[in-house]
Amino acid sequence: MDSIPYKALTPETVATRLGDIAAVRAHAGPPESWKVVEVGDGNLNLVFIVTGAQGQVIVKQALPYVRLVGESWPLPLNRSFFEYHALIRQAARAPGSVPEVYHHDEAQALVVMEFLADHVILRQSLMAGTRHPGLGAFLGRFCAQTLFRGSDLGMDTAERKRDLALFAGNIELCDITENLVFTDPYFAAEMNRHTPALDPVVASLRADRDLKVAAQHLKAAFANNAEALLHGDLHTGSVMVSGDRARVIDPEFATYGPMGFDVGMLIANFLMAALALPGHLDDRAERDSYRDWVLQTATEMWEHFSAEFTRLWRTERRGILYAASLFEDQGDGLGAEQARLDRLAAIWRDALGFCGVEMHRRILGLAHIAEYDQIEDEALRATCEARGLVLGRALVIGRGSIRDMAEVTELARHIMERDYL
Ligand code: SR1
Ligand code: MG
């Protein structure tokens, strides 16, 4: 397919167009046996499940526009190239945490990858009240391993500069994040939407000078601080789960940015899942118990991130920064520990800020989340969303003084008991 110009696949054309690719046949069997369905429910791409005599594969193909909006919003196909490069780096840095890639076709903007049998999108699971043992640990380790090993702490200067240049090409997807996450929620941008009953809270947020300034400081950090290769869109729709197994998918927004971005986005999506539970679980006792599990999972995510980051700092710090020749080699292990704590504190502070703006944009911007959108009772939805807006603001503004996840979850529990409309 490399030689022909890009053409979007359909279920009917997948077998003809991919049937000769050995890597695909090896996993799905002969194309005559394939059954193909398109299952993409994300904002951007086509996703096909190919079921053949020998097994199943996923074919993900970029469309030349934003699927959520339509052809009026063109989007470059090269996001598939960045997704492929991010996936192979994540597989090397956090083995077993992402689907295996079988084939990439740059011209056709597609990646053929492992089908994750029995897995569902975590966001769906969080609405259904399903527990996944070890999820926080998995996500914390994934973040620490991909972010540490994809940064100046783990990479030498040549590898790092080359990679930074490569991912600098993911321009339009960065532009989406810069606008949709950090700017649009804070004014009446054209594509924004929100539940009408939120109007008074929205007006007060948009008139909140400190919040707007803070959101722009966070945008500056996202745009200027190329600290590590990020997943770039690490919400609970980018995680698939089955019992105690999990994988991270969809890194097409990959870019170099601040480590706290991935971590903060994950925390935000767990907090919103907890805040939206009154719309999904009717039984009070069941809901409270599940809320505790969700908040505990977010807490464990941060704790495992922090512990794994610490382990990597002590055992794999062979990159450009904080050279052992300045610290351990001089008998100054304490200096290295001081530097580590400073770096973790900076990541934590950033993460809280990114967490807050992610909560705002999922309620006020273009791209909402199912946990809120699927609450049919509009008054209840507005009540849950208003709590999200209030918590988001508290995290952005309080990011310099909130010390740990215990304080975050305490704040969340306090806000959950109140009505802001
Ligand atoms: C126009 S794309 C909107 C959102 O969908 C993606 O999943 C990202 O989260 C992006 O911000
Ligand atoms: Mg996605």
Side-chain angles (χ1 to χ4, degrees):
M1 283 177 69
D2 272 330
S3 53
I4 63 166
Y6 169 87
K7 193 166 169 36
L9 293 162
T10 66
E12 292 71 35
T13 61
V14 166
T16 323
R17 296 184 57 202
L18 302 186
D20 285 340
I21 298 165
V24 185
R25 293 172 76 114
H27 292 278
E32 301 74 43
S33 68
W34 294 3
K35 295 206 171 12
V36 183
V37 281
E38 205 276 317
V39 294
D41 62 353
N43 294 332
L44 301 179
N45 306 296
L46 295 169
V47 180
F48 301 92
I49 298 177
V50 178
T51 305
Q54 225 151 291
Q56 290 176 291
V57 299
I58 290 289
V59 178
K60 178 172 177 181
Q61 187 182 38
L63 286 164
Y65 53 86
V66 175
R67 185 174 186 168
L68 172 71
V69 175
E71 296 185 33
S72 62
W73 186 348
L75 200 61
L77 296 168
N78 64 5
R79 62 188 190 272
S80 174
F81 168 88
F82 295 111
E83 176 160 359
Y84 164 70
H85 279 279
L87 277 171
I88 58 176
R89 282 157 183 70
Q90 290 167 346
R93 290 168 184 159
S97 63
V98 298
E100 187 184 342
V101 173
Y102 300 143
H103 175 74
H104 168 55
D105 183 329
E106 192 177 336
Q108 297 304 322
L110 66 83
V111 180
V112 183
M113 64 189 111
E114 181 183 1
F115 173 74
L116 301 174
D118 305 324
H119 284 61
V120 295
I121 294 287
L122 173 57
R123 198 180 288 296
Q124 302 297 331
S125 219
L126 292 172
M127 286 190 284
T130 310
R131 288 169 169 79
H132 297 281
L135 179 63
F138 166 82
L139 291 170
R141 278 196 303 270
F142 172 82
C143 288
Q145 291 171 357
T146 55
L147 297 173
F148 186 99
R149 292 173 173 154
S151 79
D152 285 336
L153 299 169
M155 294 161 93
D156 68 33
T157 195
E159 181 192 8
R160 150 77 176 188
K161 265 78 181 171
R162 265 198 306 271
D163 216 50
L164 187 65
L166 186 139
F167 280 95
N170 203 5
I171 300 164
E172 289 77 6
L173 273 71
C174 281
D175 187 50
I176 287 178
T177 302
E178 287 156 7
N179 291 318
L180 264 55
V181 176
F182 298 102
T183 299
D184 290 4
Y186 303 105
F187 79 108
E190 200 184 329
M191 286 184 296
N192 284 350
R193 66 186 168 90
H194 65 258
T195 307
L198 291 174
D199 278 349
V201 183
V202 177
S204 95
L205 283 185
R206 290 185 179 153
D208 187 333
R209 183 179 297 141
D210 292 343
L211 178 63
K212 286 191 294 183
V213 169
Q216 292 310 291
H217 288 332
L218 289 159
K219 183 173 183 174
F222 178 79
N224 300 342
N225 182 7
E227 191 178 18
L229 180 64
L230 307 180
H231 176 286
D233 197 26
L234 192 48
H235 51 80
T236 48
S238 296
V239 178
M240 295 195 75
V241 284
S242 172
D244 60 0
R245 292 174 298 158
R247 303 281 186 98
V248 174
I249 61 169
D250 270 3
E252 66 201 312
F253 282 78
T255 183
Y256 275 83
M259 294 190 187
F261 187 76
D262 280 354
V263 175
M265 192 175 267
L266 266 181
I267 295 172
N269 280 268
F270 280 113
L271 293 177
M272 288 187 287
L275 291 173
L277 282 176
H280 302 288
L281 300 182
D282 291 335
D283 182 80
R284 177 77 204 225
E286 184 194 356
R287 186 164 75 228
D288 287 353
S289 156
Y290 191 64
R291 177 204 56 205
D292 291 347
W293 180 82
V294 173
L295 296 178
Q296 181 59 26
T297 298
T299 301
E300 285 171 12
M301 196 276 293
W302 170 257
E303 287 172 353
H304 282 267
F305 169 80
S306 186
E308 181 66 357
F309 184 93
T310 297
R311 187 186 75 77
L312 295 169
W313 181 279
R314 292 175 183 161
T315 58
E316 288 191 18
R317 205 178 74 253
R318 291 187 284 274
I320 308 168
L321 296 176
Y322 307 96
S325 54
L326 292 174
F327 298 108
E328 289 91 337
D329 297 355
Q330 311 237 10
D332 187 16
L334 198 56
E337 288 300 289
Q338 183 181 320
R340 175 182 65 79
L341 291 171
D342 287 346
R343 292 305 296 249
L344 271 172
I347 296 167
W348 170 248
R349 184 177 193 275
D350 282 354
L352 289 181
F354 295 131
C355 175
V357 294
E358 166 71 1
M359 295 178 78
H360 288 161
R361 73 95 167 213
R362 294 295 185 183
I363 299 166
L364 305 179
L366 166 73
H368 285 217
I369 57 170
E371 287 95 322
Y372 286 133
D373 274 5
Q374 288 185 14
I375 302 176
E376 277 174 23
D377 176 340
E378 206 170 306
L380 177 61
R381 189 195 324 138
T383 298
C384 296
E385 289 177 327
R387 292 172 182 149
L389 295 176
V390 171
L391 181 54
R393 182 190 185 277
L395 296 175
V396 170
I397 299 296
R399 68 193 188 285
S401 52
I402 297 171
R403 284 168 301 183
D404 52 26
M405 277 304 295
E407 288 189 15
V408 173
T409 57
E410 192 185 322
L411 206 50
R413 286 175 197 281
H414 176 88
I415 287 169
M416 275 172 205
E417 298 304 322
R418 281 160 182 77
D419 191 353
Y420 296 93
L421 294 176

